[in-house]
Amino acid sequence: MDHLSGSDAAFLHLESPETPMHVGSLAILELPADYSGDFMLDVRTHIQERMHMAAIFQRKLVNMPFDIANPIWVLDEDIDIEYHIRHVIVPPPATRNTVDKLIARLHSSLLDRSRPLWEMHILDGLPVPKDLPEGTRYVGLYSKMHHAALDGMGGQVLMEAIMDVTAVPREPKKRMRRRESSKGDNYGIAELAASGVMHNISQSVKLTKNLPKWSKKAYSMLKPSINPDGSKAERMNWLAPKTPLNATITNQRSFARFSVPHADSKKIAKLNNVSLNDVVMAISGEGMLRYFADEGFSLEDPMLAAIPVSVRPEGNTELSNQVSIVRMSLATTVKDPLARLKAINISSTHAKTLMSDVKSIVPTDFPSIGAPWLVSSIASTLTRARVANSLPPFANVLISNVPGPNVTLYFAGAKQVSIYPVSIPYHGMALNITLQSYNGWLDFGIISCQKLMPDIHELAQHMTDAYKDLLELSLNAYGETPAVLSK
């Protein structure tokens, strides 16, 4: 049986109506002026022909008896394609803001757990840049997949299955014949219970073996640390300072997006001898500072960012989530932007060193006896008791940098112009900033709680301005000139 790992199941059990645990994206697709087909029909045909190439399309959950262990995945070949792929008209007037509000609404609803955990929405009526040929049509592809079913490796498999490098879709791989011995979801209670017990025993043995080493490393990662250069200026605390965004969230979302040139972002990194990820942290921190200043809020301690880090061993191709979280300082108490960038680099280097030491022993699966009801009860308590409103946060914001292809991709014959991630905010960390590199650009997707951050587009603008200012400062300091790009 294909059991959910502990980390996969955590996304399932932590889910509530206020905190959907699916990830998504908004792809902007371009149809040429001479296109005369039915794109909705093209998409459904395109996905149906390739369902067998990505496991997420055809597997669903079956719960264990009495929730004694985590659910299992089973094959579901009875897919209602019209349910999973839907047509949506953007409410007029079609502007960037109306599209973003629509994405926020679509992202706030839970996926149906009785079906495979994915949906796609084709958005018609998107605004089209005026410099394109008359008749060119922009279409949005908003997709959402449950995080329990999809991590970075699963996302890569999914992209390889549904995307092409030319406008003419390639021939899909042949569908493998289903073995007659496959039971689908027709397992008996005794069979499920026995499998759950055996899985828990095997995971208990693994956890016991690595627990001493893991506990020691976990302490070293969490404890307050001084910068590697010996400086005490940016000491990281046990907990992050409280901000208006570190509170209990509702089930309503706000979403904004923007893009910056990849080449100029790498130039900032190269000139300052830091990483591209450090540049992302710097513009995120500065954008948040400017946003909080507009709200009349200030901080005395540096903000901390939570950063997802892969712990997947080399050559491992399992589709289960294999990630951990590290924290780093955004150095927001350092006034000079270039000096702050250096301080961020020191903090990120320290975080990478700690993670490299612990990567091989971080558990991604663990015993799950009683986990479904226990973790779900914790998630319910976080919502009802509004615990996040009174407790100091572990981190102020989650920031994730997803590497993507540097070539033009096509979906069902349409050219992909941009791909904006749409991720997960949670209680105590209501802001999630995720970006993906694609074809010469860094596409940022920012998501939060509508109640806590109704003006999220202001943060997007502040981050864009912070990027431009950091580029100008870097170029002036080192005598360089920027690339001329627009999007």
Side-chain angles (χ1 to χ4, degrees), residues 58-75:
Q58 290 183 286
R59 63 179 187 173
K60 66 179 181 179
L61 294 171
V62 169
N63 291 326
M64 283 288 169
F66 312 110
D67 280 340
I68 62 171
N70 291 329
I72 61 170
W73 292 114
V74 299
L75 184 65

Side-chain angles (χ1 to χ4, degrees), residues 358-394:
V358 75
K359 180 177 180 179
S360 62
I361 60 171
V362 170
T364 57
D365 202 358
F366 31 82
S368 58
I369 296 178
W373 60 265
L374 177 61
V375 180
S376 297
S377 297
I378 293 173
S380 178
T381 301
L382 288 173
T383 299
R384 296 181 180 182
R386 300 183 176 274
V387 175
N389 289 350
S390 54
L391 291 180
F394 169 74

